[in-house]
Amino acid sequence: MALNLEKNEQVLLLGALLHDIGKFAQRALDEGERELHQELSEKVVKALTDLLTFLDKEDKERVRVIVREHHEGEPSEFIARIVKKADRISASERQERRFFSDEKISEFRLRSSLSALGKESCSQDIHSLPMLPLAPLGTYADNIFPIKPSEDKGSYEEIWKGFADEAKNLPKDSFDAFFLSLYHLLYKYTWCVPSAVFKSYPTISLFDHARMTAAIAWCLYHTGNAESDNDKRFMLISGDLGGIQDFIYYLASPDDAQTGMAKRLRGRSLYLSLLTESIARFIMGRLRLPEPNLIFAGGGGFLLLAPNTSGINENLKEAIKETEAWLLERHLGQLSLAVVKVEASINDMGSNFGKLMKDIHEELAKAKERKFSEMEAWPELASDEDECIVCAAPMKESEGKLVEEDGTERLVSICPDCQLHESIGGLLPDSKYLLWTEEDWNSDGPFFEILGQKWCLLKEAPDSPPETGILYKIRGMNFLEPIGENRNLAMGFRFIASHVPDTFESMAKKAEGASYLAALRMDVDGMGYLLAKGIPMDFRTPSVYASISRQLDLFFSGYINTLVRENDNLYIVYAGGDDLFIVGAWNEVIEKAREINKEFWEYTENSESLHLSAGYTIFKPKFPIGRAAEECGEAENKAKKGGKNALCAFNEVFGWKDVKKALCFAEMLEHYIGNSQISKGFVQTMLDIYHKDHKEGRLIWASRVLYQIARNVPDELKGELQEKLVKIPVNEKTMEDTMMKTAQLWANVALLKVRKKEETKETKEEKR
């Protein structure tokens, strides 16, 4: 997204992004060597900018003036005054705290802003908040999960050295390449560095504070002088891509389309995640917004911060029209875009930011009901077009997929898009890079082209890359590597679920007991409401919103992939934003659901406000994946309606604590059945009693359970099963707390686990 920035704009962005970089260096020094952070910032900026060729000596000095003068007194230059004001707005969430004279800033650690959700205020003892590890960003628990003070092994000196060493490899001849690469490097190393510690609670990272300062400074610069802080100088733009669920999941799987189905689904999911970002970047290009002004993009939505000018408003209208026209022509109404905007003053960006987010949330809900309202005409379908057997899209017969069977070639009605998704889904596991560019660059392999942007998966860094664009490392975090002759290409990293399991049929065969697959859909309960109203009044600012959104997306788009990386029986269809969809062997999927919930609970510092609901359904390998996803979604909705923070499985809703107990009980029953101590019939009878009596509130269920235990369970197990299923002596309180209340879960799991594998036709013929 080359914006062809003027020198003033380059100086502004560099000064704003780096204005507090000295705080990072400051904490790496011994207490006796400490200098003021603005003085250290100036030294760091001088070292970073001295070798840059796109800035002259005078402009380099102007950047240094910004970081030197942003904190105290009245800056001498207009741009420096803008950055100072932007810094104040961005830091408006900082809470005054008691500071002790013996405290050392080198010992302070960042506290996660997720801990703020659901609280009335963040004014509390700093030592009671969970701390984040002092380590470069990664996708493992050791890198990103909260830790106890006794577990802390990192040091500012160590991560500062890592930053300084890698900064030497930043591109130096292009502003776009340098700035975007620096942006990702700051994310990698300062995501865990608090932006303030002396007088404030350290709950916002230096990265989030710096990027929001740059975004706000851009808006202030482009709206000129204002008479008061109540002038509406800012515009928040929120977008939501509609139809995602249907587009990803509603895929038919007839016999002719079985081959490549997993690859097709993987490629389709990647396309959807890139489409959301492409739309955001297309709008950013039309509005001339730099990278920091993209506050968030993921999970089908995005949020931008823009200057509120007449030109921006007109360009936004045109950008939305162009995007809708492209979506309509490209996807024939399957996907739609809802975009809303709210105006904001400097005062709104502080104390009233929560109301702004609430307004956006409500306006988006209304906008989703006005799909393609600006379009004057719909595309016409040719009467002679065929239909894709996978996605039902119109296509010419000649566009079908050519397959060979028994030496004979034939065309199968699979459209070019589904073929492309299959090709890219096949490339993803072996790819190390993802290239984004707006140039007409020749890629050796298949690529997505979206609104004039190309996304190319690459196994190796290109020898002759385009002159502009971003080369993302999708495997590993060491992204600043030499890339052929062109060192002016921006470099960064991103998290993509690239784990590749076996085929659906193979996963089902490897399932324990019954040869079934399962689908799992999970998301954060009431995320829109939490962001709009769940953040404390004294903590509702753009930096906080950006931080919370980023941390949640990191869990879903980054950490979830780590959780399934070594498991060939699980397949991530989609994970990002605040939700996920996983398919795999039925028994491993339900265990993984429990594990993900446990990990999320730990990641969010045991938050009572942040929790997950999930839907789980089982199906046979050749069952249409779209239909399985739909049923899974219905189960997820049932879990939310049943009280949230729950799992809906086998058509009933269970709290997560009960899920853990039920799965452990099912494992115990499986062991007893395997040792011939109890029969499958006994478990089935317990399930029948649950449905006929327990579920209907008939107290006779307890007597019937006791009767079955007395007749069908060996003496050595009777006491244990009576305790778990009835809890003698029987009374109303203990009966409510028995394992019988979750019989629908543990009985079905146990019976599926001990079911014998069904023999295939091929296996029977082999035995003959």
Side-chain angles (χ1 to χ4, degrees):
M1 190 174 55
L3 299 180
N4 299 317
L5 300 184
E6 300 171 358
K7 289 299 179 183
N8 278 349
E9 294 172 327
Q10 294 180 7
V11 169
L12 173 84
L13 288 175
L14 285 172
L17 190 67
L18 294 169
H19 75 282
D20 271 348
I21 190 67
K23 290 182 177 179
F24 188 11
Q26 186 184 49
R27 288 159 205 172
L29 297 173
D30 293 333
E31 299 295 318
E33 299 177 4
R34 184 166 302 120
E35 302 176 57
L36 292 174
H37 81 267
Q38 54 266 38
E39 295 173 355
L40 279 170
S41 292
E42 184 182 6
K43 291 181 179 179
V44 174
V45 168
K46 183 179 187 305
L48 281 172
T49 59
D50 270 351
L51 298 178
L52 300 181
T53 62
F54 58 84
L55 289 180
D56 58 27
K57 184 177 180 180
E58 180 182 349
D59 288 331
K60 291 176 184 177
E61 176 59 29
R62 292 169 69 201
V63 176
R64 292 197 287 271
V65 168
I66 291 173
V67 299
R68 182 171 67 238
E69 298 182 356
H70 81 274
H71 201 265
E72 304 292 343
E74 184 67 14
S76 58
E77 190 184 59
F78 171 62
I79 292 180
R81 291 195 291 274
I82 287 176
V83 173
K84 179 180 173 67
K85 194 166 193 174
D87 178 39
R88 178 176 62 82
I89 298 169
S90 180
S92 59
E93 75 279 342
R94 292 179 182 168
Q95 298 281 307
E96 291 293 315
R97 71 175 183 88
R98 183 182 177 188
F99 186 78
F100 300 95
S101 59
D102 61 342
E103 289 182 307
K104 298 179 179 180
I105 62 170
S106 60
E107 296 175 356
F108 268 89
R109 299 294 183 262
L110 180 68
R111 266 62 182 181
S112 171
S113 53
L114 292 176
S115 60
L117 284 172
K119 292 183 172 63
E120 293 183 2
S121 174
C122 283
S123 302
Q124 55 182 303
D125 177 25
I126 187 62
H127 299 292
S128 69
L129 292 173
M131 54 191 274
L132 293 177
L134 199 58
L137 188 67
T139 58
Y140 291 90
D142 291 347
N143 295 88
I144 59 176
F145 274 54
I147 58 173
K148 298 176 182 177
S150 59
E151 299 171 342
D152 184 22
K153 298 178 182 178
S155 72
Y156 285 108
E157 182 180 5
E158 185 177 344
I159 62 169
W160 169 256
K161 183 179 184 304
F163 171 82
D165 287 345
E166 288 198 49
K168 297 173 185 176
N169 295 324
L170 289 166
K172 300 175 176 62
D173 299 327
S174 158
F175 172 81
D176 287 340
F178 175 79
F179 185 80
L180 290 172
S181 302
L182 173 65
Y183 187 85
H184 284 87
L185 190 64
L186 286 171
Y187 181 17
K188 177 179 176 179
Y189 283 102
T190 64
W191 77 278
C192 59
V193 177
S195 65
V197 295
F198 275 116
K199 299 178 181 179
S200 309
Y201 290 98
T203 49
I204 297 298
S205 72
L206 187 59
F207 172 70
D208 288 315
H209 172 65
R211 69 184 179 121
M212 289 314 305
T213 299
I216 292 168
W218 180 268
C219 295
L220 293 176
Y221 177 79
H222 285 280
T223 51
N225 293 317
E227 294 182 2
S228 94
D229 286 352
N230 285 316
D231 291 342
K232 304 293 186 180
R233 304 179 67 176
F234 303 93
M235 184 194 304
L236 284 162
I237 303 166
S238 182
D240 184 88
L241 193 62
I244 288 179
Q245 306 296 334
D246 291 353
F247 186 82
I248 293 182
Y249 307 136
Y250 287 8
L251 300 177
S253 50
D255 290 341
D256 275 348
Q258 281 294 319
T259 303
M261 191 63 194
K263 294 177 183 177
R264 203 173 297 127
L265 194 56
R266 186 163 55 245
R268 204 172 182 86
S269 302
L270 176 61
Y271 173 77
L272 257 295
S273 66
L274 299 179
L275 177 60
T276 303
E277 183 174 336
S278 297
I279 292 173
R281 291 192 177 279
F282 178 77
I283 294 175
M284 290 170 70
R286 290 292 188 269
L287 307 187
R288 292 192 76 252
L289 298 179
E291 189 74 15
N293 290 67
L294 177 59
I295 299 177
F296 174 74
F302 60 83
L303 182 67
L304 306 174
L305 181 64
N308 187 19
T309 67
S310 58
I312 290 287
N313 276 278
E314 287 301 316
N315 290 340
L316 177 60
K317 284 182 182 179
E318 289 302 312
I320 295 171
K321 255 187 172 180
E322 289 183 60
T323 304
E324 284 191 334
W326 186 90
L327 284 171
L328 194 55
E329 180 181 355
R330 189 74 182 75
H331 296 295
L332 303 173
Q334 281 185 294
L335 295 169
S336 60
L337 179 67
V339 179
V340 298
K341 62 178 182 177
V342 295
E343 298 177 344
S345 66
I346 289 175
N347 288 331
D348 291 333
M349 296 291 281
S351 59
N352 292 330
F353 193 76
K355 184 179 182 305
L356 296 177
M357 296 310 302
K358 179 176 179 290
D359 291 344
I360 283 179
H361 187 62
E362 292 174 352
E363 289 300 315
L364 265 180
K366 297 176 185 176
K368 291 175 184 178
E369 302 299 321
R370 304 190 300 268
K371 299 175 183 178
F372 302 107
S373 58
E374 300 296 322
M375 299 307 301
E376 298 175 357
W378 285 69
E380 295 183 5
L381 302 181
S383 58
D384 61 342
E385 287 185 331
D386 201 353
E387 206 175 73
C388 176
I389 61 174
V390 177
C391 69
M395 57 172 284
K396 294 181 176 62
E397 186 179 351
S398 59
E399 295 175 330
K401 179 182 177 182
L402 194 65
V403 298
E404 183 177 338
E405 291 181 355
D406 301 325
T408 303
E409 290 185 342
R410 65 184 179 92
L411 277 174
V412 177
S413 295
I414 298 178
C415 71
D417 276 354
C418 286
Q419 294 178 54
L420 176 62
H421 296 157
E422 182 182 337
S423 297
I424 289 182
L427 281 176
L428 184 57
D430 297 324
S431 297
K432 298 178 183 177
Y433 297 93
L434 177 67
L435 175 68
W436 175 90
T437 184
E438 292 175 305
E439 292 183 25
D440 187 17
W441 183 68
N442 291 324
S443 172
D444 293 335
F447 56 85
F448 290 131
E449 189 160 8
I450 307 171
L451 288 163
Q453 305 163 62
K454 276 188 175 182
W455 296 92
C456 310
L457 284 171
L458 305 169
K459 291 183 179 181
E460 302 294 340
D463 292 329
S464 301
E467 293 184 4
T468 59
I470 308 174
L471 185 67
Y472 294 103
K473 189 82 174 288
I474 60 175
R475 286 183 178 274
M477 300 293 293
N478 296 322
F479 61 95
L480 286 172
E481 301 171 338
I483 47 170
E485 299 176 358
N486 185 358
R487 289 290 280 113
N488 292 321
L489 187 67
M491 290 173 283
F493 62 88
R494 66 185 300 145
F495 305 118
I496 294 177
S498 57
H499 172 67
V500 180
D502 291 333
T503 63
F504 290 159
E505 292 81 2
S506 178
M507 286 191 290
K509 288 178 182 177
K510 291 181 181 178
E512 186 175 356
S515 298
Y516 283 128
L517 293 173
L520 172 72
R521 288 172 66 170
M522 304 179 81
D523 75 352
V524 179
D525 290 321
M527 198 62 238
Y529 174 84
L530 282 172
L531 290 173
K533 301 189 71 174
I535 301 175
M537 287 293 294
D538 52 7
F539 207 56
R540 295 178 184 177
T541 68
S543 295
V544 174
Y545 179 86
S547 176
I548 290 172
S549 300
R550 176 183 56 77
Q551 288 184 69
L552 287 175
D553 184 66
L554 176 62
F555 179 85
F556 285 96
S557 65
Y559 185 64
I560 292 298
N561 195 45
T562 301
L563 280 182
V564 303
R565 187 169 290 161
E566 303 301 325
N567 193 325
D568 286 338
N569 292 333
L570 292 173
Y571 168 45
I572 299 175
V573 178
Y574 174 79
D578 67 346
D579 62 349
L580 60 82
F581 178 43
I582 292 177
V583 173
W586 73 267
N587 58 301
E588 298 198 37
V589 169
I590 199 164
E591 285 289 349
K592 190 57 65 174
R594 186 190 63 79
E595 182 183 358
I596 289 172
N597 180 70
K598 172 180 173 292
E599 296 288 317
F600 186 74
W601 187 74
E602 294 178 359
Y603 181 75
T604 57
E605 304 100 31
N606 315 334
S607 170
E608 294 182 1
S609 299
L610 277 170
H611 39 70
L612 300 171
S613 285
Y616 169 89
T617 56
I618 63 172
F619 58 99
K620 293 185 176 181
K622 290 193 176 183
F623 188 73
I625 190 69
R627 180 59 186 156
E630 182 181 11
E631 292 180 357
C632 196
E634 291 170 357
E636 184 183 28
N637 290 334
K638 189 171 182 178
K640 290 181 178 297
K641 291 178 181 177
K644 301 181 180 180
N645 195 19
L647 168 74
C648 178
F650 303 103
N651 206 34
E652 288 196 14
V653 176
F654 310 94
W656 286 108
K657 289 182 180 178
D658 289 332
V659 170
K660 180 180 179 180
K661 293 177 182 177
L663 293 179
C664 290
F665 191 56
E667 187 175 350
M668 184 184 78
L669 293 177
E670 178 197 3
H671 174 72
Y672 291 157
I673 294 172
N675 290 339
S676 300
Q677 292 171 286
I678 61 173
S679 67
K680 290 187 291 183
F682 172 79
V683 177
Q684 183 62 57
T685 300
M686 294 298 103
L687 187 57
D688 292 340
I689 293 172
Y690 166 76
H691 282 290
K692 292 177 182 178
D693 299 314
H694 187 282
K695 192 175 179 181
E696 299 300 322
R698 299 189 183 98
L699 293 181
I700 195 173
W701 71 263
S703 296
R704 288 179 172 168
V705 169
L706 290 173
Y707 176 76
Q708 291 296 327
I709 291 175
R711 291 202 52 159
N712 299 297
V713 174
D715 291 342
E716 66 269 19
L717 299 182
K718 285 179 179 177
E720 180 181 21
L721 290 181
Q722 287 174 352
E723 171 70 17
K724 290 185 179 297
L725 293 174
V726 185
K727 279 198 172 180
I728 297 176
V730 177
N731 59 57
E732 187 175 345
K733 183 177 179 181
T734 58
M735 284 192 295
E736 289 178 355
D737 195 32
T738 69
M739 292 303 301
M740 281 301 289
K741 70 177 181 179
T742 57
Q744 179 74 345
L745 181 55
W746 53 257
N748 276 293
V749 169
L751 291 171
L752 284 168
K753 280 190 172 185
V754 297
R755 184 183 297 184
K756 291 182 179 180
K757 296 286 184 184
E758 296 177 0
E759 289 186 325
T760 63
K761 181 179 178 181
E762 291 79 5
T763 305
K764 290 178 180 178
E765 289 178 351
E766 286 176 7
K767 287 184 176 180
R768 289 178 190 157

